[in-house]
Amino acid sequence: MTELFSIIAVPFAAVFMGIYNFVGNYGITLILFSLAVKLLLLPISAKSKRGMMKQARLTPKIKQLEKQYGKDRQRYAKEVQELYDRHEVSATGGCLWALLPLPILLMLYSVIRKPLTYLMKLSAEQILTLQTTLEGLGVVFVSSQSMQEMEISSAITQHFNAARAAVPEVIALNYNFLGLDLSKFPQWNPSQWTDYSWGTIGLFLLPLLSGLFAYLAMKVTTRSNNVRKEPGEEETPADKTT
């Protein structure tokens, strides 16, 4: 499974590196690559949205069925399914289409956290050689094994000549974006910050802002899919499912 995942991730890495070679900045590459993925997924997102809108339009009829067959759950389920069939609506279609981007996001995450493997195409032996060389220069790696390639890649930029002498295929990626070093990891405890520069504060704020915008996007999507209820009208099981 891991080998298959690595094979599938290769095209993503090639596109990512192609964009980087054109713009020369890791942050801008992330933005452009994300936009390209969004455009690629636009037909899927549109299909998912259409499916959800069709379900939303049927909500009044489903509520009527709820009132009519609420006590007979088997009959209610049968009538709802027949309603979906008549209007060519899939009860899970919108959700299934919405889940399709997940594998692509996983590929992107793998490419980002393993720049030595996917972007520089280095073998495990070459990565170990780089790590040993940099540690000999006094570089200390503190991240977990799964995220260590980011640290090594950052250290390559600082000790490029020594790194290239050890492994000629290395590339000095430009991680500086808006005054931030995107190869570094946020320190969540402000009391442990070594300084209060924008580079430290910005890294701390970046995931928080990302989570906030994701939450707002989810709220907007949820509201756009809901059908307005009359005052005093209770939420039905169909509403809760949606």
Side-chain angles (χ1 to χ4, degrees), residues 187-239:
Q187 172 54 258
W188 294 107
N189 188 352
S191 65
Q192 297 180 1
W193 290 358
T194 56
D195 60 72
Y196 290 85
S197 64
W198 165 243
T200 301
I201 298 173
L203 284 178
F204 174 80
L205 293 176
L206 198 60
L208 298 180
L209 291 174
S210 177
L212 175 62
F213 286 129
Y215 173 77
L216 292 176
M218 179 192 69
K219 294 292 288 185
V220 170
T221 301
T222 302
R223 286 182 178 274
S224 67
N225 289 333
N226 286 340
V227 174
R228 188 180 298 274
K229 293 186 280 293
E230 297 297 328
E233 187 177 358
E234 294 184 358
E235 193 175 41
T236 68
D239 295 328

Side-chain angles (χ1 to χ4, degrees), residues 149-178:
E149 286 195 23
M150 289 292 295
E151 272 198 298
I152 296 175
S153 181
S154 177
I156 287 173
T157 304
Q158 302 168 15
H159 306 277
F160 182 68
N161 291 333
R164 191 158 196 175
V167 180
E169 292 85 356
V170 298
I171 301 171
L173 296 175
N174 179 15
Y175 287 106
N176 294 317
F177 180 70
L178 300 179

Side-chain angles (χ1 to χ4, degrees), residues 116-117 121-133 145 149 152 163 166-170:
L116 304 182
T117 299
K121 300 179 182 179
L122 302 182
S123 64
E125 291 76 15
Q126 289 175 312
I127 294 174
L128 181 59
T129 299
L130 274 175
Q131 181 178 346
T132 304
T133 300
Q145 188 67 34
E149 286 195 23
I152 296 175
V167 180
E169 292 85 356
V170 298

